Amino acid sequence: MLTVYEFVLIGAVIWGITIILRKHSFNRFKVDQWTMIVGSMLSAGIVASSWQFIYYGTPSITDKGFWMPFAIAALLSIVIQSANVISINLEDASLVGAIQGLTPILILISGWITLKEFPTLFGLMGVLSVVVGLYLFRWEGEKETLKLLKKMPAGKLRYIAHLFGKPLARLFHSTGARIALLSAVSGAIAIGYGKTAVLHSNPATQAGAQFFTVALAVFIFARATGRWKGIDKGFYISCAIGVLVGIAEILFNSSYLFPFGLVAYVGTIKRFQIVVTAILATVFLKEKFGPVKIAAATVIFAGIVLIAF
């Protein structure tokens, strides 16, 4: 189990860094979001394919069990990657990193339906702890509030209602939040099919083919609709970020090869990226990191530890 931790946690740290780099690229260099998707996915595919030849040799997919789950995961990845980049462009990096608060529960259900996987009691407690921590992490400090709460008298009840009403208010007010939620739900559905494709090939083959599919599909869409800006400085910046994306995905995929690489565990531990994203966003993007987020980070860490048992 420790090896699964190492793969996923390192991948989560790298993924958190990519969120900050993408947001910085949008703010500082005004990189076009479609350029970011195509450039980063193309580069990530090249990284994964290079690792394929270096470590696994020439790709040879003879297992028929690969193609159907790969096709489903790849199509969903077009939505996931596009929605992820667009939401980062529209929203705070820390919010986008944490918008997937319900993802572990969705992954738990998806893994049970598609792979017949279910965690141990401690593992389930860990997943639920991470969800609680992510919920607190996600909404602390947001200004939006439901109109109904304004009519409530001040006090503990109003505070509780405000705390649990923030997600709905944020989703109603923010297009970026809704797009990030779309990415999260699509990711929860895709993860089981992605694991199946990995088990019928290898981590690098699945990742490389998936990234190239996303890059090609988004490029065709952007070109056909007049959104493609051409190869410019932003494209090369996007390609540099894509190197990290490719490395992170190979690490995530490799964790499935171990006995404890259940999608519920991997998907939950990946949420450690929220803590990384929030800390880096505080340091480099000057976003807030208050006491509630500190407490939430502690709950998330405790949940990740419980998953090990």
Side-chain angles (χ1 to χ4, degrees):
M1 187 63 181
L2 180 61
T3 306
V4 175
Y5 261 88
E6 291 171 350
F7 274 100
V8 183
L9 285 176
I10 294 173
V13 170
I14 295 174
W15 192 264
I17 293 173
T18 67
I19 293 177
I20 299 301
L21 290 176
R22 281 171 167 168
K23 185 64 177 180
H24 180 69
S25 299
F26 292 138
N27 292 345
R28 177 73 181 275
F29 301 106
K30 309 302 179 184
V31 177
D32 177 72
Q33 60 188 16
W34 301 106
T35 300
M36 175 62 73
I37 298 170
V38 175
S40 61
M41 293 296 99
L42 177 62
S43 178
I46 293 173
V47 169
S49 297
S50 298
W51 185 245
Q52 164 72 52
F53 284 101
I54 292 171
Y55 189 79
Y56 294 101
T58 304
S60 177
I61 303 174
T62 58
D63 193 332
K64 296 181 180 179
F66 168 82
W67 292 107
M68 182 59 71
F70 165 74
I72 296 173
L75 289 174
L76 287 170
S77 290
I78 296 173
V79 177
I80 296 165
Q81 299 295 343
S82 300
N84 183 49
V85 171
I86 293 171
S87 62
I88 292 172
N89 190 23
L90 296 175
E91 267 292 356
D92 291 342
S94 58
L95 177 65
V96 173
I99 201 76
Q100 301 176 356
L102 289 176
T103 304
I105 292 295
L106 297 175
I107 292 174
L108 188 69
I109 297 172
S110 175
W112 177 63
I113 294 175
T114 61
L115 301 172
K116 305 303 179 184
E117 294 181 352
F118 202 79
T120 64
L121 177 60
F122 281 109
L124 181 60
M125 291 171 59
V127 171
L128 295 176
S129 296
V130 172
V131 171
V132 172
L134 294 178
Y135 189 94
L136 295 173
F137 209 106
R138 174 182 174 185
W139 305 111
E140 186 267 337
E142 301 302 337
K143 296 180 180 179
E144 291 86 351
T145 178
L146 295 174
K147 294 181 179 180
L148 179 62
L149 300 181
K150 296 180 180 179
K151 301 179 181 179
M152 296 179 63
K156 188 174 182 180
L157 180 60
R158 177 174 175 174
Y159 173 78
I160 295 174
H162 178 64
L163 177 65
F164 288 94
K166 283 180 183 179
L168 292 176
R170 188 67 167 184
L171 289 174
F172 279 120
H173 284 80
S174 172
T175 301
R178 291 193 294 272
I179 293 175
L181 183 61
L182 172 63
S183 176
V185 173
S186 300
I189 298 172
I191 191 170
Y193 295 104
K195 176 179 178 178
T196 302
V198 169
L199 296 179
H200 285 87
S201 56
N202 63 64
T205 296
Q206 192 276 341
Q210 180 172 292
F211 286 136
F212 284 138
T213 300
V214 175
L216 180 60
V218 175
F219 172 74
I220 293 174
F221 169 80
R223 186 71 181 270
T225 57
R227 292 178 170 87
W228 179 246
K229 305 297 184 182
I231 297 178
D232 53 10
K233 181 180 179 180
F235 179 80
Y236 295 112
I237 293 174
S238 303
C239 287
I241 295 173
V243 172
L244 296 179
V245 173
I247 294 172
E249 189 68 15
I250 291 173
L251 289 170
F252 292 147
N253 283 354
S254 297
S255 66
Y256 296 137
L257 303 180
F258 297 93
F260 290 99
L262 276 64
V263 293
Y265 291 166
V266 174
T268 303
I269 299 171
K270 283 172 66 174
R271 303 284 81 79
F272 183 70
Q273 56 140 331
I274 288 120
V275 180
V276 176
T277 302
I279 293 174
L280 294 177
T282 302
V283 175
F284 296 104
L285 301 179
K286 309 303 179 184
E287 295 182 9
K288 295 181 179 180
F289 194 86
V292 175
K293 284 188 177 180
I294 295 175
T298 303
V299 174
I300 292 172
F301 180 76
I304 291 174
V305 172
L306 279 173
I307 291 173
F309 295 95

